[in-house]
Each structure stands twice: as C-alpha cells, then as structure tokens.
C-alpha cells in the first residue's frame, strides 16, 4: 500500500542541522513543538491559514520502494517525527487523498499523498488546496528529481516541471506554477537505461546508504518552509550541500 518509512541506520545527527525543532502533533492532538521565527514570504502569512505538504509517488506495494516514491518517503518521515506521538494518514474521500491534519509549531499543516498515480496527481492536490483553503504559495510538493545529484535536496518556489509528470499535472490542475517544490535528487539512469524503467525500480543497495539522510533533509526543509518561510527552506537545503 503506502511506501514504508526509510530505515534510519544510515542517518546521522548531521541530518538534523539548522532547521529547528521537531514539529507538530498527532493528526488530532495539540502542538507541543517549538516554532521558529517567521521570515519574509513564509510562516507569518500562514499562522492561521494551513500549509499543504504533499508527497508524490505511486500507490501500491509494487512501487513502494521505487525512486519515483521519494515524496512518499518524506511524508512518512514527517509523520514519524510528529509530537507527542507519530501521526498517521486517513482517507479523505472528497479529494481522493490520504491526509493527516497537524501543526508544525503553531502553524496548521495538512500532510498528504494523492491516491492516484503520479501523472494524475493534479486533481487531488488542487482539490486539497481548495478544500482546506490553502493559497498556492503555501502548497509544498515533494518529488523525485532526475536532474539533481543523488542525496541532494533542493527547494524552490515556482518554475517549470522539468519533465516531471506529477508536477506537470499539478500545475495544470492548479492553474499556476507558483507553489513550492522540494526535490529529492535521484540522478540520471546509468548508460542507456530507459528513464521510466529507472524511476519505477527500487533504490539500489548503494542508494539506500544515503537515502535516509536525504529523506530527513527534505523533511527538515519542509518544516523550515512552514515555520520560517520558503526562503529559509531554500537556505537550509543549500547548507546541506
């Protein structure tokens, strides 16, 4: 069903760099986390308006450990780190999604996964934003990126889809490019391997050595975006190399 959380064996304390506190609560609890100072273009505007953090991937056991499901893994990480206890996803029929309503510090957040396949992600994401009244600039989409070196994480606001079918679908459904993206680098396929085959295959043994760190960094970047603003998320990701 859902992608499983990455094992933490390769994760180090360095992955918890400067992003701030662990966050939130269970899906129905009250927040117990510290929140960072707001910066321009970020958390100050979203103190009462929720943020929507969406991890992209494909549903089903067949794809659970695939490179294309990096976004799912980051949502798993965010759920596991919620305070006072790990959170869980529940079905949201009106948007064809799985969600957890929580808080990062004092800021309400909806963590979500579309229940559709990657190239049909747009409708669930647009419907979630509409249902929870989330403006586009407070939508964060987490996805796998071919044109980013493995292990690296990048945060940006707006821009093109870089050939990513999930982003293309979301941009079309939302009618705007002006939402935040957190990319988890998976690199290009070796040799002449077909791209579609590459992204749908499981992470290799070598990749699993760095994957927990990259997933933790992406989760920290998402928290920084929500609590301190997207620019803070960008700086955090850049600081991680």
């Amino acid at each position: 069903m859902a992608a499983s959380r990455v094992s933490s064996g390769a994760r180090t304390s360095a992955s918890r760099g400067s992003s701030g506190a662990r966050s939130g609560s269970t899906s129905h609890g009250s927040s117990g986390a510290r929140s960072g100072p707001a910066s321009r273009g970020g958390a100050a505007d979203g103190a009462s308006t929720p943020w929507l953090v969406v991890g992209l991937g494909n549903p089903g056991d067949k794809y659970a450990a695939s490179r294309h499901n990096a976004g799912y893994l980051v949502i798993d990480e965010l759920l596991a780190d919620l305070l006072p206890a790990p959170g869980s996803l529940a079905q949201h029929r009106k948007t064809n999604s799985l969600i957890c309503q929580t808080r990062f510090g004092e800021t309400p957040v909806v963590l979500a996964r579309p229940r559709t396949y990657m190239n049909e992600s747009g409708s669930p994401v647009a419907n979630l934003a509409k249902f929870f009244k989330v403006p586009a600039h407070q939508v964060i989409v987490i996805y796998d990126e071919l044109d980013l070196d493995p292990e690296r994480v990048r945060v940006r606001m707006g821009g093109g889809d870089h050939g990513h079918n999930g982003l293309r679908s979301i941009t079309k459904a939302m009618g705007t490019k002006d939402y935040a993206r957190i990319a988890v680098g998976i690199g290009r396929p070796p040799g002449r391997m077909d791209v579609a085959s590459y992204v749908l295959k499981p992470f290799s043994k070598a990749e699993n050595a760095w994957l927990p760190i990259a997933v933790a960094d992406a989760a920290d970047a998402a928290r920084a975006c929500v609590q301190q603003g997207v620019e803070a998320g960008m700086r955090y990701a850049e600081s991680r190399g």
Side-chain angles (χ1 to χ4, degrees), residues 139-157:
V139 174
I140 301 172
V141 176
I142 307 170
Y143 70 102
D144 59 297
E145 177 58 77
L146 287 162
D147 293 322
L148 187 63
D149 290 340
E151 192 175 352
R152 291 196 61 195
V153 171
R154 181 180 65 206
V155 179
R156 61 191 172 102
M157 174 62 78

Side-chain angles (χ1 to χ4, degrees), residues 7-228:
S7 64
S8 59
R11 186 164 155 187
T12 68
S13 60
S15 69
R16 288 296 181 198
S18 58
S19 70
R22 280 181 69 193
S23 47
S25 62
T26 61
S27 57
H28 299 291
S30 60
S31 172
R34 294 172 294 160
S35 58
S39 63
R40 183 169 62 87
D45 295 332
S48 58
T49 303
W51 285 67
L52 174 61
V53 181
V54 181
L56 299 188
N58 288 308
D61 292 341
K62 179 179 179 181
Y63 303 109
S66 72
R67 297 180 179 94
H68 224 18
N69 278 33
Y72 273 24
L73 297 178
V74 178
I75 294 296
D76 281 343
E77 182 81 4
L78 289 167
L79 288 167
D81 283 348
L82 292 177
L83 296 173
S88 60
L89 296 172
Q91 188 168 324
H92 194 255
R93 295 182 185 276
K94 290 184 178 180
T95 61
N96 197 20
S97 305
L98 297 172
I99 70 165
C100 174
Q101 292 178 258
T102 185
R103 288 179 178 269
F104 288 178
E106 297 301 318
T107 307
V109 180
V110 179
L111 302 176
R113 291 185 193 150
R115 298 183 67 229
T116 60
Y117 286 104
M118 178 72 81
N119 60 1
E120 298 173 338
S121 300
S123 179
V125 174
N127 287 335
L128 280 165
K130 182 178 180 180
F131 184 88
F132 289 103
K133 298 180 173 59
V134 181
H137 68 274
Q138 286 181 210
V139 174
I140 301 172
V141 176
I142 307 170
Y143 70 102
D144 59 297
E145 177 58 77
L146 287 162
D147 293 322
L148 187 63
D149 290 340
E151 192 175 352
R152 291 196 61 195
V153 171
R154 181 180 65 206
V155 179
R156 61 191 172 102
M157 174 62 78
D161 57 49
H162 290 216
H164 194 284
N165 289 333
L167 294 183
R168 182 181 296 120
S169 176
I170 291 167
T171 297
K172 181 178 179 181
M174 291 188 64
T176 181
K177 299 178 179 180
D178 296 331
Y179 55 91
R181 303 103 186 271
I182 298 178
V184 178
I186 61 171
R188 283 278 168 181
R192 297 184 179 181
M193 182 184 290
D194 177 66
V195 167
S197 176
Y198 174 72
V199 299
L200 294 177
K201 286 184 180 295
F203 285 98
S204 68
K205 183 177 180 180
E207 289 170 324
N208 278 313
W210 55 256
L211 183 60
I213 297 173
V215 166
D217 284 347
D220 283 346
R223 282 186 286 262
C225 287
V226 171
Q227 293 185 275
Q228 298 174 276

